Amino acid sequence: MARRKIAIKKIENVSARQVTFSKRRRGLFKKAQELSTLCDAEIALIVFSPAGNLFHFATTSIGQVTERRISYSELKLDLDKSHQPYDNELQVEGEYFKLEKALKEKTHELRYIYIYIYIYISWNRDLIKRYASM
Amino acid sequence: MARRKIAIKKIENVSARQVTFSKRRRGLFKKAQELSTLCDAEIALIVFSPAGNLFHFATTSIGQVTERRISYSELKLDLDKSHQPYDNELQVEGEYFKLEKALKEKTHELRYIYIYIYIYISWNRDLIKRYASM
DNA sequence: CGAGCTATATATAATAG
DNA sequence: TCTATTATATATAGCTC
């Protein structure tokens, strides 16, 4: 996109490749950020450089879910929390919207979790493969 | 990037947002593909549209690239089904119990998922550690 | 090297069909 | 709607320091 058109194939010159990687990685993350903001989309983006550096971008909610995965005690807290909306006193008609809201929140949480699971499983598979072939 | 400069904030008009989402999503995936090819980088990109569709792109360790829209069932989740109860015709008062049922199901699903994630992550951590120490 | 700097290539917002 | 077009805004390849 610049002084000259380039073919989309691996750049063989190592330093040129490094420069292009830095520039395009920044561009890609910016585009991801813009898309998520403009269109209210949930996005997770992970980039491994050939040098092995990891770059990661995820919309905030995904990141939060990621953080929460760590400890079992926190896990239990989450489970207890998720009981509340329907185990309590939601029987009056006006509570319909509270229930609807809870369902929407839960649906969103599921989305984040599945994105996280997907990425985690995919990358672990590769990581394990890589180690296994050493 | 076009006839007029736009501010990077949520597009409120729904159809305009949908159009922008489609265009920019395609652009983002293309950029991801180019970066991975040019710089030999491994990339995983997942996008959830506001409508709930999931789009995914990932390079694999053997250099193959897959880009496709994957269904929730492939992730062992049928979110489309879960959406219906509140996205559609649940506006009558009698539908309250349907909603409540959906919420209960989702809560249970979350519970299983949290447990699954916990086990899976622990297991992988050990597996990777084992390979890494070889 | 890394941090700018153009000249171009691309992406895309608005519009047309 | 949906696709195609087009005028601009952005991204970036090669260069400079």
Side-chain angles (χ1 to χ4, degrees):
Chain A
M1 302 183 182
R3 299 299 182 82
R4 199 175 303 178
K5 181 191 173 88
I6 59 160
I8 303 301
K9 63 188 180 64
K10 181 175 175 181
I11 298 170
E12 294 303 336
N13 181 290
V14 177
S15 60
R17 187 166 70 224
Q18 177 55 45
V19 170
T20 294
F21 178 77
S22 299
K23 288 182 173 180
R24 280 180 171 258
R25 175 176 49 75
R26 273 197 293 273
L28 184 65
F29 277 70
K30 187 183 177 195
K31 289 283 188 186
Q33 171 70 74
E34 290 182 352
L35 180 58
S36 70
T37 301
L38 287 168
C39 303
D40 201 25
E42 306 300 340
I43 299 179
L45 171 60
I46 295 180
V47 177
F48 257 117
S49 72
N53 291 320
L54 175 65
F55 302 89
H56 170 263
F57 165 88
T59 52
T60 308
S61 314
I62 298 171
Q64 282 168 355
V65 168
T66 301
E67 299 273 319
R68 264 191 277 148
R69 238 32 37 263
I70 305 303
S71 81
Y72 184 64
S73 55
E74 288 181 70
L75 183 65
K76 279 199 293 190
L77 279 179
D78 286 339
L79 294 182
D80 292 341
K81 232 183 287 170
S82 39
H83 275 195
Q84 290 172 10
Y86 68 92
D87 279 353
N88 295 347
E89 72 303 327
L90 285 182
Q91 298 312 314
V92 292
E93 192 235 342
E95 298 290 322
Y96 178 91
F97 296 104
K98 235 194 248 178
L99 191 59
E100 190 178 53
K101 186 163 166 288
L103 180 58
K104 278 184 179 168
E105 282 169 359
K106 220 156 276 281
T107 300
H108 282 128
E109 191 174 0
L110 272 172
R111 271 187 212 170
Y112 305 142
I113 288 171
Y114 271 99
I115 288 175
Y116 177 71
I117 290 177
Y118 181 80
I119 292 174
Y120 193 91
I121 290 177
S122 300
W123 282 101
N124 268 293
R125 195 182 292 137
D126 285 347
L127 201 54
I128 288 167
K129 248 190 238 161
R130 216 177 304 160
Y131 278 126
S133 65
M134 280 179 184
Chain B
M1 300 184 182
R3 298 300 182 84
R4 198 174 305 178
K5 180 190 173 85
I6 58 159
I8 302 302
K9 61 186 180 66
K10 181 174 174 180
I11 298 170
E12 294 302 337
N13 181 291
V14 177
S15 60
R17 186 165 70 226
Q18 176 56 45
V19 170
T20 295
F21 177 76
S22 299
K23 288 182 174 182
R24 280 178 171 259
R25 175 177 48 74
R26 272 197 295 273
L28 185 65
F29 278 70
K30 188 183 176 196
K31 290 282 188 188
Q33 168 71 78
E34 290 182 350
L35 180 59
S36 69
T37 301
L38 287 169
C39 304
D40 200 25
E42 292 187 57
I43 299 178
L45 172 60
I46 294 181
V47 177
F48 255 116
S49 74
N53 290 322
L54 179 60
F55 300 88
H56 138 273
F57 163 92
T59 56
T60 71
S61 51
I62 53 171
Q64 286 175 334
V65 170
T66 51
E67 181 182 346
R68 64 206 170 110
R69 179 189 182 284
I70 57 179
S71 67
Y72 292 118
S73 58
E74 288 183 76
L75 287 175
K76 300 195 174 13
L77 171 65
D78 201 341
L79 263 185
D80 289 336
K81 216 184 291 174
S82 321
H83 271 188
Q84 287 170 14
Y86 68 91
D87 278 353
N88 295 345
E89 72 304 332
L90 280 188
Q91 297 315 314
V92 292
E93 192 230 341
E95 298 291 324
Y96 179 91
F97 296 105
K98 240 195 240 175
L99 190 60
E100 190 179 52
K101 186 164 167 286
L103 180 59
K104 275 183 183 171
E105 284 170 359
K106 215 163 279 285
T107 300
H108 283 125
E109 188 174 1
L110 267 174
R111 200 178 305 171
Y112 284 120
I113 287 169
Y114 275 124
I115 292 169
Y116 174 73
I117 290 175
Y118 182 77
I119 294 171
Y120 191 92
I121 290 179
S122 304
W123 182 78
N124 268 293
R125 198 179 286 141
D126 289 346
L127 197 55
I128 288 166
K129 247 188 242 161
R130 211 180 313 155
Y131 278 124
S133 64
M134 280 181 183

